[in-house]
Amino acid sequence: MKIYLVRHGDAVSKEVDPERPLSDLGSGQVQDAAVVLGRVGVKVAEIMHSGKKRAEETAEILASAVGGGRLVLVAGIGPNDSTEDFAREVDSWAGDRMVVGHDPFMSKLVSRLVLSDEGKPILKFEPAMVVCLKRDEGWLVDFVIYPQLAGRR
């Protein structure tokens, strides 16, 4: 089983729009990541997102590239939420899924799943970054898509 953890693309500031939708750059970043995910054959039936505008828009863009996965709003994956309960839920899943969220939550979730300790940073999610984790005997990093490698900065 694999999970694809994605940070939303670059968003406009609160001063421009309090809902903080994707900026033009952010939309392009996510489209570039979607192209890469499509090329490597990623398919998921479900794409979870936090419900924040920028995460929902990111999930919508990615959906067509990964098999039209059903978008699902989930609680508990906001920027400053605890990773403990969500990580426990992830461990019970069967089948590949995608989660679109925010930093620092996403960075801490990777550390909790791979190292069993969210306090030991492995990486810091950039906007539109994708981390694929594969479950073997534990969770392992399978690949990372950095936005600057997918096309935009």
Side-chain angles (χ1 to χ4, degrees), residues 6-125:
V6 184
R7 181 177 174 196
H8 62 79
D10 182 71
V12 302
S13 69
K14 288 180 186 177
E15 294 74 35
V16 172
D17 185 333
E19 288 193 4
R20 300 205 55 219
L22 292 176
S23 66
D24 290 341
L25 171 63
S27 181
Q29 290 170 324
V30 177
Q31 289 169 5
D32 291 346
V35 168
V36 175
L37 291 169
R39 279 192 201 138
V40 297
V42 172
K43 299 288 182 215
V44 297
E46 190 170 270
I47 303 171
M48 300 175 195
H49 65 85
S50 69
K52 292 185 183 291
K53 186 74 170 165
R54 56 199 179 272
E56 184 176 10
E57 289 175 337
T58 297
E60 289 169 353
I61 293 168
L62 294 172
S64 62
V66 296
R70 170 175 70 98
L71 301 183
V72 179
L73 178 125
V74 294
I77 62 171
N80 298 307
D81 288 336
S82 169
T83 62
E84 187 173 357
D85 291 339
F86 193 74
R88 193 173 16 257
E89 182 181 330
V90 167
D91 281 333
S92 72
W93 291 347
D96 296 351
R97 297 190 191 187
M98 182 174 283
V99 180
V100 179
H102 313 268
D103 220 33
F105 179 85
M106 300 302 274
S107 295
K108 290 179 178 181
L109 181 61
V110 170
S111 293
R112 179 175 293 280
L113 292 172
V114 175
L115 301 175
S116 300
D117 185 348
E118 75 172 30
K120 293 182 179 177
I122 297 174
L123 50 79
K124 181 172 176 23
F125 271 76

